[in-house]
Every structure is written in C-alpha cells, then in structure tokens.
Amino acid sequence: MPVAPAPAPTPAPSPPVKPPPAAERVYAHVKQAVLDRRYEGGTLLTEGGLADAVGVSRTPVREALLRLEAEGLLKLYPKKGALVLPVSAQEIADVVETRLLVEEHAVRRAVPAPEPLVTRLEELLEEQRRHAATGDLAALAVSDRCFHAEIVRNAGNAILARLYDQLRDRQLRMGVAVMHAQPDRVAKNIAEHTEILDALRAGDADGAASVVRRHVGWVRSLARGEVR
C-alpha cells in the first residue's frame, strides 16, 4: 500500500519589516519635496506642520532639518522654522562648470561606445519621451540626470563617478526648476540627448563633446539671464 507523502512543513512567518526611524522619514519627505519643487525656494517650513504631515513628534523633525541644513537645502531660524533655500545663480554656475569638466572628458572616453552603454542610453531616451508626454517633470529630471551619469560611469574612473554623484541632488533640483521656467526646453533636451547618442554611435568624440558643451552650457547662460 503506497505511503502518502508527509505534508510540507509550514514556512516560518517572515519577520515584520521595521519602518525607518522617524527622523529618516521626515528627512526623506522634506528632501524629496524640495527636490521636486513641492516645497519651493522661499517656503518657510514649521516643525509642527512637518510633524503633522509625517505623523511624528517634533524631536525627529529637528534632527532631520539639521541634516538638510548641512546639505545646503534649508536655513534654520530658531522658533520660526526652516526656510527652503532657492537655487542661486552662483550655485548653478558652479555645478555647470564641474559638469562640463567631468562630462566632456567622460564622453570622449566613451568612444567607441560599447553596446551596453548605447542600449542603456536608448532606454533612458525613451523613458524621457514618456515622462515628457505625461508632463512628469520631476521624473523627467531624474531620467535626464541618469542619462549623463551613465556616460560618466562608463569612463571607468570611480573617483570621477563619485564626484559626479555628489552633484546629484543639486542637478535634480536645478533640472526641475529649469524645465518649469523654460517648458520648451524639454523637447530641446531630448533632441540634444539624441545628438549625443548619435555621435557616440558614429564614434565621433569631438562631435559628442561639442554637443555636451552646448547642452550643459545652456543652463549657465540661463542663470546669467542670457536666455529669454
């Protein structure tokens, strides 16, 4: 007589996932809102308002705001709250100068472009077109930044890649601000990304560097008031 197989053991229940600490939740909430311009430059945030928004006490709010002040996104005023700092023309100029130094070097190193890089850049371009079609400027800024970061990482210099990553938050915030101020720039950005990709496919290092210089340098011109 066949013996019935023993029942499979009941899997042990997974341990409950601990939520992130309260200060981390406040930090993430405020930082994301600043980066995608839900909290615009010049907005005064209060500890009580943030505590209510995130559902925590005021103590972790203070901890998160101190951290964000150290990152240059906020300015704290005792007994008043925290002011969201606007993006300054000097900050834009500094970031653009650093980007040009890194990106022109990296795009030249990308020639001849390896197939995985070309495929990834094609995916990001398609992603940008989708975000442009839906008007999601925050997501578009993230994808825009990723396009350039992929080229920098491809250069194979870990120190250079880390330096570029340190600009991430400033680039995202500026990208959203620029696209709000110049909505016609969205299509131009995508067109210039396409030019960069075409130059990489063609093995044209000088052409790719020239497009990067024009593409990134445009932001500096905007900050100087040279673009209308």
Side-chain angles (χ1 to χ4, degrees):
M1 187 174 190
V3 179
T10 303
S14 301
V17 179
K18 290 180 64 177
E24 189 64 34
R25 297 204 307 273
V26 177
Y27 170 83
H29 168 82
V30 176
K31 184 168 187 174
Q32 190 57 50
V34 170
L35 292 181
D36 63 23
R37 284 173 49 106
R38 282 180 287 126
Y39 293 155
E40 299 247 19
T43 301
L44 184 66
L45 308 175
T46 65
E47 290 183 5
L50 292 174
D52 290 342
V54 185
V56 298
S57 68
R58 293 193 181 202
T59 300
V61 172
R62 293 189 198 103
E63 183 181 332
L65 293 181
L66 284 169
R67 186 175 166 190
L68 290 162
E69 183 180 47
E71 294 182 10
L73 295 177
L74 306 176
K75 173 66 176 174
L76 299 187
Y77 292 93
K79 299 181 180 179
K80 291 184 179 180
L83 185 71
V84 179
L85 294 176
V87 178
S88 69
Q90 185 60 53
E91 182 181 6
I92 292 175
D94 291 347
V95 169
V96 168
E97 182 177 19
T98 307
R99 284 188 62 185
L100 286 172
L101 290 170
V102 172
E103 292 189 43
E104 284 192 56
H105 168 77
V107 81
R108 289 180 180 279
R109 288 285 299 271
V111 175
E115 192 57 37
L117 175 63
V118 171
T119 299
R120 180 59 181 147
L121 295 181
E122 288 172 342
E123 293 171 351
L124 287 167
L125 262 173
E126 184 56 36
E127 191 177 282
Q128 288 164 37
R129 293 186 184 103
R130 290 198 305 271
H131 293 318
T134 61
D136 190 344
L137 297 186
L140 179 57
V142 172
S143 186
D144 183 302
R145 188 261 169 198
C146 286
F147 183 92
H148 294 272
E150 286 291 337
I151 297 172
V152 172
R153 277 194 289 271
N154 179 77
N157 185 322
I159 294 175
L160 208 62
R162 281 198 298 272
L163 170 64
Y164 193 79
D165 283 343
Q166 288 172 4
L167 301 175
R168 175 184 178 276
D169 292 342
R170 287 182 167 85
Q171 287 192 58
L172 292 180
R173 192 172 176 216
M174 290 175 190
V176 177
V178 165
M179 285 184 280
H180 274 283
Q182 299 279 333
D184 64 328
R185 187 62 200 176
V186 171
K188 291 178 182 176
N189 276 357
I190 293 173
E192 287 169 0
H193 287 170
T194 303
E195 286 184 62
I196 293 169
L197 179 54
D198 288 345
L200 290 176
R201 281 202 197 98
D204 183 0
D206 288 340
S210 176
V211 181
V212 165
R213 191 159 51 248
R214 169 164 45 90
H215 177 66
V216 177
W218 179 89
V219 181
R220 180 165 52 194
S221 299
L222 177 66
R224 290 173 174 170
E226 296 168 0
V227 177
R228 291 292 183 265

